[in-house]
Amino acid sequence: PHTCVLGGGNEVKSYEGGVACVFEYNTFENCAYEASDVGAFYTCGQKGTAFANPGNELRHSIFRNIRNTEGSGVQGITVQAVYLDDQMSSWHVWNNTFFNCSVGTFIGGGRLNSFHDNNYHFCDIAHHFDNRGMGWEHGDVHCMSKYN
């Protein structure tokens, strides 16, 4: 399977969902073992929608054996247990446990994300974050500059 849960996000209109969602007490096991650039729990904020979905939480969950076991295809293998992609913002990720994961938590840019009280055991990388929005996604950060 590619992703176990596609959570929150991508909805600009608040009445369509993606705002103040709570994901809790879940167990994710043996997910994403045939894929790359993926997360067992994945959410994405493409083209500025990352900032329009505040207040989502992922808590009290267990992630176990989240890693590619089938080999790479045309790109390098990147498998995350929790993947906030493309500047997804305003997530609260806390009190989760990660066992035997390639990457426990991954923040691909974004603002106002809070990660705390997570436990990582036998993970290759516990937590990764990068500065998307300052490089190749820079145009999506300055939404209002189009109107000035």
Side-chain angles (χ1 to χ4, degrees):
H2 188 260
T3 295
C4 288
V5 171
L6 181 60
N10 286 356
E11 302 297 338
V12 175
K13 300 173 187 172
S14 63
Y15 62 86
E16 290 183 6
V19 176
C21 297
V22 176
F23 302 88
E24 62 184 355
Y25 300 107
N26 295 288
T27 299
F28 300 84
E29 190 164 2
N30 299 316
C31 297
Y33 57 86
E34 297 178 315
S36 184
D37 190 24
V38 66
F41 185 93
Y42 179 85
T43 185
C44 180
Q46 296 175 340
K47 301 296 178 192
T49 62
F51 313 120
N53 298 285
N56 294 301
E57 289 191 56
L58 173 61
R59 62 190 185 201
H60 315 304
S61 294
I62 297 170
F63 295 82
R64 189 178 296 117
N65 302 323
I66 309 300
R67 55 177 64 245
N68 180 297
T69 61
E70 300 300 317
S72 66
V74 296
Q75 65 184 38
I77 297 171
T78 58
V79 176
Q80 291 68 234
V82 174
Y83 191 177
L84 274 59
D85 198 4
D86 293 331
Q87 303 180 64
M88 186 50 84
S89 297
S90 298
W91 274 82
H92 188 189
V93 179
W94 61 287
N95 197 32
N96 299 290
T97 304
F98 302 87
F99 294 101
N100 188 32
C101 299
S102 295
V103 178
T105 49
F106 186 110
I107 300 175
R111 302 174 183 168
L112 303 174
N113 290 309
S114 175
F115 283 67
H116 64 88
D117 297 323
N118 296 299
N119 297 293
Y120 303 88
H121 306 275
F122 306 108
C123 295
D124 300 343
I125 298 172
H127 183 77
H128 167 90
F129 61 94
D130 60 44
N131 65 346
R132 270 174 234 197
M134 297 179 78
W136 62 275
E137 285 189 335
H138 182 68
D140 291 339
V141 174
H142 300 287
C143 306
M144 296 305 295
S145 65
K146 297 175 186 175
Y147 305 104
N148 293 335

